[in-house]
């Protein structure tokens, strides 16, 4: 996980094969590294905000994320990056209200043209709000949210408790 190209470069030089880019923007510097190392690149939507900030999505969060995915994919392909090296994450908990997070989860199938689709909901605040549980008590809520995501088309689950998720 990084948004800094220098960190990604260090990781790639040391055998990492996937850059989980949490920047929420297209960076030519990051694109150059991904291309040079033939790495996989995960784009995460943030609404240009951090995990403690909330963006306002005038056309709704789903439309905003769809536009972001389309733009990122187009820019990456124009940069010469292989489409099979791209992965898309709608960024649960980053720049979103818990209602935005729930809207994205229940609309996972809308993102079916963007493959693989990664969902990272494990132990997040949205699970805590929905279940009333603290972080260390969110395993069942997490599994429920992950299961719904897979049922609706998620290809990759980013989880903390692999055994329980499996």
């Amino acid at each position: 996980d990084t948004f800094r190209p220098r960190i990604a470069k260090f990781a790639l030089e040391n055998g990492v094969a996937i850059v989980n880019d949490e920047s929420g923007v297209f960076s030519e510097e990051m694109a150059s590294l991904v291309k040079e190392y033939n790495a996989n690149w995960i784009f995460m939507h943030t609404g240009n905000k951090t995990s403690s900030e909330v963006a306002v999505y005038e056309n709704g969060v789903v439309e905003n994320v769809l536009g972001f995915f389309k733009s990122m994919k187009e820019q990456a392909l124009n940069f010469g990056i292989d489409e099979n090296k791209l992965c898309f994450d709608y960024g649960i908990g980053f720049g979103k209200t818990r209602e935005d997070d729930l809207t994205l989860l229940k609309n996972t199938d809308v993102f079916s043209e963007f493959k693989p689709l990664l969902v990272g909901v494990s132990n997040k605040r949205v699970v805590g709000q929905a279940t009333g549980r603290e972080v260390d008590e969110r395993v069942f809520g997490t599994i429920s949210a992950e299961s719904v995501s897979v049922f609706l088309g998620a290809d990759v689950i980013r989880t903390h408790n692999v055994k329980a998720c499996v």
Side-chain angles (χ1 to χ4, degrees):
D1 299 346
T2 190
F3 56 88
R4 293 182 175 93
R6 67 181 175 82
I7 301 298
K9 181 176 171 68
F10 177 83
L12 291 165
E13 288 174 341
N14 287 282
V16 168
I18 302 171
V19 174
N20 187 17
D21 186 349
E22 297 179 325
S23 69
V25 297
F26 187 88
S27 159
E28 287 192 6
E29 188 177 359
M30 191 72 84
S32 293
L33 289 168
V34 167
K35 189 173 178 179
E36 177 184 347
Y37 287 89
N38 196 30
N40 295 288
W41 193 4
I42 301 171
F43 300 127
M44 187 176 79
H45 178 273
T46 65
N48 295 319
K49 301 290 181 184
T50 67
S51 61
S52 61
E53 300 174 317
V54 175
V56 175
Y57 303 105
E58 292 184 20
N59 295 321
V61 68
V62 171
E63 285 302 316
N64 192 280
V65 172
L66 283 169
F68 169 78
F69 283 175
K70 287 176 185 172
S71 174
M72 294 296 279
K73 181 177 180 178
E74 181 178 310
Q75 290 179 83
L77 295 178
N78 288 340
F79 205 85
I81 295 171
D82 182 349
E83 183 173 357
N84 294 317
K85 295 291 187 175
L86 305 179
C87 183
F88 303 87
D89 176 357
Y90 47 60
I92 294 293
F94 285 81
K96 297 165 188 74
T97 65
R98 302 307 64 91
E99 291 77 21
D100 290 337
D101 292 336
L102 290 171
T103 297
L104 290 169
L105 285 168
K106 74 179 183 180
N107 287 286
T108 297
D109 58 333
V110 171
F111 302 98
S112 62
E113 72 182 272
F114 298 99
K115 295 290 184 183
L117 179 65
L118 180 148
V119 174
V121 71
S122 183
N123 298 342
K124 296 248 175 128
R125 285 177 289 191
V126 67
V127 174
Q129 184 179 22
T131 63
R133 302 290 182 175
E134 294 300 319
V135 172
D136 61 344
E137 299 175 330
R138 294 181 185 167
V139 68
F140 295 114
T142 292
I143 292 168
S144 297
E146 291 169 342
S147 297
V148 167
S149 299
V150 169
F151 180 77
L152 292 175
D155 303 292
V156 179
I157 297 296
R158 186 175 185 269
T159 192
H160 293 90
N161 191 329
V162 175
K163 186 176 180 181
C165 182
V166 170

